[in-house]
Amino acid sequence: MTLTNVGNRDLDTSHFGGQAIEFTSSARVVDVLAKLSSPSSQRVIPVSFNGNRLDLTPGTLHRRQALVYRALVDGADPTVDAVATLSNGDFVRHQVTRPDESAFQRRVALIAAAIGVVASVASAAISAFAANR
C-alpha cells in the first residue's frame, strides 16, 4: 500500500481529527514486512495491524512524501479501503498493475497443473493395463 501526499502542504494529525489513519483490507493481515518513506529522510508513520485492519498512528505526512507499507496477507487479490476521514482532502485509490512476472508465474502454474493431470491419467492407464494382464 502506498500513501502519497500530492498536495503542497503537510498533513498533520489535525487533518485526521487526531485519530489513527485506519485502512481495512479484504484479506487478513498476517504481518507488515516493510515500511518505507520517500524521501527516506522523512519519518515513516508507524503502523499496527489487527485482523483485516491497518492503523497508522497519528503523525505527519509531509508534502510530496510517499509512504510504502508492504504486508503479508491471507487472501487473494486484496483490496484496501481508507476508513479515516481527511479534512480538506480525499483519499484516491489507484490500482497497481501486476508486473509481467505474475502472468509468467500464472502460466507456469497452469503448465504444472496440466503436467500433473497428464501424469495422473498416465498412472491410471498403466494401473488399468497392469490389472488386466
Side-chain angles (χ1 to χ4, degrees), residues 1-127:
M1 173 178 82
T2 302
L3 187 62
T4 305
N5 179 357
V6 296
N8 58 3
R9 293 185 149 172
D10 292 349
L11 295 173
D12 61 26
T13 57
S14 66
H15 287 95
F16 301 97
Q19 301 296 312
I21 305 169
E22 182 182 332
F23 295 91
T24 58
S25 169
S26 60
R28 184 177 67 86
V29 179
V30 176
D31 197 6
V32 176
L33 304 174
K35 300 169 259 185
L36 307 166
S37 174
S38 177
S40 59
S41 60
Q42 292 176 327
R43 180 178 166 272
V44 174
I45 298 175
V47 65
S48 61
F49 62 94
N50 184 5
N52 291 28
R53 208 169 92 192
L54 287 165
D55 292 320
L56 277 63
T57 59
T60 300
L61 182 59
H62 298 282
R63 66 188 182 105
R64 295 180 180 72
Q65 179 183 15
L67 297 173
V68 177
Y69 299 93
R70 294 179 200 246
L72 176 64
V73 296
D74 184 15
D77 294 325
T79 57
V80 176
D81 291 305
V83 177
T85 57
L86 176 61
S87 64
N88 298 325
D90 292 313
F91 286 102
V92 178
R93 179 198 306 246
H94 293 278
Q95 292 289 39
V96 177
T97 57
R98 293 179 182 224
D100 290 338
E101 66 187 77
S102 292
F104 174 74
Q105 289 171 343
R106 283 192 294 272
R107 277 188 233 122
V108 168
L110 287 172
I111 291 168
I115 290 171
V117 168
V118 169
S120 295
V121 169
S123 176
I126 291 169
S127 295

